[in-house]
Amino acid sequence: SYVIGIQIRAEDPELAARIANEYAAVYLAFNKELKDKAVLRANDFLDQRIAPLKERLRDAEREVANYREQTGLIEDRTTFRPGRERATVLGQQLGQLNTELVLAVSARMQREVSLEQIQDAQRGRGSLYAIPEVVASPVIQRLRAQQSEIGARAAALAQSRLPSNPAVLALRAEEREVRARIDDEVAKIVGSIESEVAAARAREASLRQSLADLQGQVAEQSKAEIRLRELETEAEAARLVYTETLNRAEQNSNQRDGQQPDASLISEATV
């Protein structure tokens, strides 16, 4: 520490003391004023920097958003969890397409198995009436019940009538008609399953093509992510500089109110 002594010589002792004391007061005030001006200059400098830094941050964030939109690297905020990186919309679509493709393949295989069972039964390698779709048809169930009833009536009538009897012939004709209607219903079921198989195959092919296209886009996105990370780093750096400048400006403003000179008065001059 340094001690500054002020000596004033004058014919009037009181005048000499007043001059010494006033000199010390002016020195302390001047010292405080220098510090205030330094803080003001720092504040002015920081204030001048804040606006450009804020604009720079906006430009950096806008560039990140525009680049995301141009490349499709849009974040899916609905899947965000703390501690996990946000997935892109394209990545979510890829996962969804994979799931849909698995379901489509399963549906196609199920329909193909049903079609093969019906085709095998039509070739004599099984019973049509054991096929789940045929068994579940209420129309076929009703027709088969009619067929059984007609067959029973025809068998009972054949015991007392000749095969050429008109009543027997009528029952046989009715039985053939019911059998034909059953065959028509089975054909409709077969046609429906064939249509479902074709639709399932078409959907599977469409999903595979969409998946291939999307995988290509994801591959392109992987390259674009490198540039995106650079832009995000620049935006984060701009945000840190802007935040630090704001904090320093606030600290300087608070310091100005409590600014004290670097010297203090030990004692006033006496007469």
Side-chain angles (χ1 to χ4, degrees):
S1 299
Y2 295 90
V3 176
I4 301 175
I6 302 174
Q7 293 182 350
I8 300 296
R9 294 181 182 274
E11 292 181 358
D12 186 352
E14 293 182 358
L15 176 62
R18 288 201 306 270
I19 292 175
N21 290 330
E22 186 64 21
Y23 191 91
V26 169
Y27 174 82
L28 294 177
F30 177 72
N31 186 270
K32 183 178 183 300
E33 183 181 358
L34 287 179
K35 296 185 71 176
D36 288 341
K37 288 181 177 179
V39 172
L40 287 174
R41 286 195 300 270
N43 283 342
D44 291 340
F45 173 74
L46 293 174
D47 289 341
Q48 292 174 3
R49 291 197 63 193
I50 285 175
L53 288 175
K54 185 176 182 179
E55 187 63 27
R56 178 184 174 188
L57 175 59
R58 287 178 178 174
D59 292 341
E61 291 178 340
R62 189 180 301 114
E63 190 172 359
V64 170
N66 291 338
Y67 189 78
R68 280 188 175 278
E69 185 176 357
Q70 292 171 3
T71 58
L73 288 168
I74 302 174
E75 293 178 332
D76 183 5
R77 299 181 182 272
T78 60
T79 60
F80 175 72
R81 296 291 183 276
R84 291 175 55 188
E85 186 177 356
R86 286 191 178 97
T88 62
V89 173
L90 207 59
Q92 289 295 310
Q93 292 176 349
L94 185 62
Q96 184 178 356
L97 266 182
N98 272 315
T99 301
E100 291 181 5
L101 181 58
V102 170
L103 295 176
V105 170
S106 176
R108 186 259 304 165
M109 294 177 64
Q110 290 177 357
R111 300 292 27 171
E112 286 180 343
V113 168
S114 297
L115 183 60
E116 289 176 1
Q117 288 177 345
I118 290 179
Q119 291 173 342
D120 288 343
Q122 289 176 330
R123 298 188 187 99
R125 295 195 296 268
S127 173
L128 276 173
Y129 305 110
I131 306 301
E133 287 78 6
V134 175
V135 173
S137 172
V139 176
I140 293 180
Q141 290 177 3
R142 187 175 65 253
L143 291 174
R144 292 201 65 194
Q146 293 179 7
Q147 186 181 31
S148 299
E149 180 186 356
I150 294 171
R153 287 165 52 196
L157 193 60
Q159 294 179 359
S160 58
R161 299 290 189 273
L162 294 174
S164 59
N165 186 277
V168 175
L169 294 176
L171 286 175
R172 297 302 181 189
E174 188 177 354
E175 186 178 13
R176 287 192 300 271
E177 181 182 355
V178 172
R179 188 181 300 112
R181 291 174 61 187
I182 291 175
D183 292 340
D184 290 341
E185 289 298 323
V186 171
K188 290 179 182 179
I189 292 175
V190 173
S192 176
I193 294 177
E194 288 175 342
S195 298
E196 291 175 0
V197 169
R201 288 172 179 171
R203 173 169 172 73
E204 180 184 347
S206 175
L207 287 173
R208 287 188 184 278
Q209 183 60 48
S210 298
L211 186 62
D213 295 341
L214 201 58
Q215 286 173 338
Q217 295 180 38
V218 171
E220 291 297 324
Q221 274 194 353
S222 299
K223 300 176 183 177
E225 282 181 352
I226 298 175
R227 175 56 180 164
L228 176 63
R229 295 294 173 261
E230 294 176 357
L231 294 175
E232 288 178 335
T233 300
E234 293 174 4
E236 183 62 26
R239 184 180 297 105
L240 290 175
V241 172
Y242 174 68
T243 303
E244 182 180 354
T245 304
L246 280 179
N247 292 336
R248 288 176 60 188
E250 183 178 358
Q251 291 172 1
N252 283 351
S253 297
N254 295 333
Q255 287 176 358
R256 181 185 175 187
D257 298 334
Q259 202 68 260
Q260 297 294 329
D262 291 333
S264 60
L265 186 63
I266 296 176
S267 64
E268 294 183 347
T270 57
V271 177

